[in-house]
């Protein structure tokens, strides 16, 4: 390696480091966007509260759980919207005013818990099953088997 | 820590910070309400989000200390940013040291995947000193013999151990990502036993659904900070060779 080549090599390293830093910044921004709620979790215009949701993926299935306090269990509806999207809607036992939850500057009523959840891996969406216990809805969806030729 | 009034040294200090199931926050707030404690100090820090919590139209710090009945309760009304966990934990322990705390008891949860199968959550404990383990056993609290703790309680316990301060962590089995008032009731029942307090926790269970609805947003923000802290390590099986 000649002395003349060294500065060029250092420049390449610097470029690589800059690229890595930029990549890290971009991934942090994506992480922030995914985690930071960008809108309120309730809206009096459609009378809905968005429930807390958790998704876990096992080798065989995707399990979506949701915390559904105050709902009438018989009104819980879980339906596929797209191949990788499910919607859950449940009526609350009584309509709540934002004031009941400590929000005094908005008038209106909240009557439903509702949310749409995007599934992270392909599933057999028509084969989904759900169960409601102790206020928690658990939706189980078998994962799609992929044929490798 | 900014003190609003003179605080008697040598008191028991209870800590309720946002964590899995919001067990500590729910339990600490219930304790403050039931004992009729008043705000006597608060945390002022640039590391916390730029917020004021309004009560009766007046601004308060999101992390406050309540007292007035021979017990101090530290409680947060906002998710603690992951970046602030270490300095906050250190500040709490330093302040407890300066107040010559008789005992520091952190109220917390321990996530279990089969929470919906559990009717009454069990409470487990860890201590900063061997004497603390004896206290746990005396009150029929199973000791967390091994495992990983993540978050402010982990650091408070470690810093207390470093300074020889007596501290306990009481953790009830709970949901990872959902507010868990039943777990808070379990942990409060054990706390009441240790403190020799008459405390009816039934109301907490009765109001469970309302609490779960109200606690959604702080739980959502706490989930975000827990992800940053790699909180799921608490599920990990400890390595022993």
């Amino acid at each position: 390696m000649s002395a003349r080549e060294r500065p060029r090599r250092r420049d390449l390293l610097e470029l690589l480091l800059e690229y890595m830093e930029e990549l890290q910044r971009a991934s942090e921004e994506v992480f922030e966007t995914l985690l930071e709620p960008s809108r309120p979790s309730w809206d009096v215009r459609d009378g809905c509260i968005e429930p807390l949701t958790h998704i876990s993926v096992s080798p065989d299935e995707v399990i979506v759980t949701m915390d559904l306090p105050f709902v009438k269990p018989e009104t819980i509806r879980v339906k596929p919207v797209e191949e990788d999207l499910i919607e859950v809607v449940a009526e609350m036992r009584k309509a709540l005013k934002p004031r009941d939850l400590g929000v005094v500057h908005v008038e209106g009523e909240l009557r439903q818990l509702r949310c749409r959840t995007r599934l992270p891996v392909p599933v057999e969406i028509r084969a989904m099953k759900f169960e409601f216990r102790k206020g928690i809805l658990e939706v189980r969806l078998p994962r799609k088997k992929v044929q490798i030729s | 820590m900014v003190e609003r009034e003179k605080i008697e040294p040598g008191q028991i200090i209870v800590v309720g910070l946002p964590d899995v199931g919001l067990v500590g926050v729910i339990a600490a707030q219930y304790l403050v309400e039931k004992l009729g404690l008043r705000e006597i100090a608060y945390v002022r820090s640039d590391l916390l989000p730029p917020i004021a919590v309004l009560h009766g139209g007046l601004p308060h710090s999101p992390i406050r200390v309540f007292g007035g009945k021979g017990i101090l309760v530290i409680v947060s009304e906002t998710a603690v940013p992951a970046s602030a966990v270490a300095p906050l934990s250190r500040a709490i322990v330093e302040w407890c040291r300066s107040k010559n705390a008789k005992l520091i008891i952190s109220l917390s949860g321990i996530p279990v995947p089969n929470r919906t199968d559990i009717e009454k959550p069990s409470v487990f404990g860890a201590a900063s000193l061997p004497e603390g383990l004896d206290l746990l056993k005396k009150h029929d609290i199973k000791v967390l013999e091994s495992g990983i703790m993540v978050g402010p309680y982990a650091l408070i316990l470690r810093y207390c151990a470093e300074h020889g301060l007596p501290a306990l962590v009481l953790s009830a089995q709970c949901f990872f990502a959902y507010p868990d008032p039943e777990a808070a009731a379990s942990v409060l029942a054990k706390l009441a036993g240790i403190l020799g307090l008459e405390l009816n926790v039934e109301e907490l269970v009765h109001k469970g659904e309302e609490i779960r609805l109200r606690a959604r947003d702080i739980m959502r923000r706490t989930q975000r900070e827990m992800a940053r802290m790699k909180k799921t390590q608490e599920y990990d099986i400890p390595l022993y060779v």
Side-chain angles (χ1 to χ4, degrees), chain A residues 63-74:
Chain A
I63 304 169
V64 181
T65 63
M66 279 174 207
D67 188 24
L68 300 179
F70 261 121
V71 300
K72 291 186 258 186
E74 67 277 13

Side-chain angles (χ1 to χ4, degrees), chain A residues 7 13 31 36 38 57-58 92 111 113 115 119-120 131 137:
Chain A
L13 275 171
F31 187 66
E36 179 64 39
S38 56
V57 180
S58 78
M92 292 166 70
R111 299 174 302 277
L113 284 160
C115 74
L119 305 163
E131 186 184 23
L137 176 73

Side-chain angles (χ1 to χ4, degrees), chain B residues 43-58:
Chain B
V43 170
R44 183 167 60 198
S45 171
D46 294 341
L47 298 172
L48 295 176
I51 60 172
V53 180
L54 295 174
H55 289 285
L58 296 172

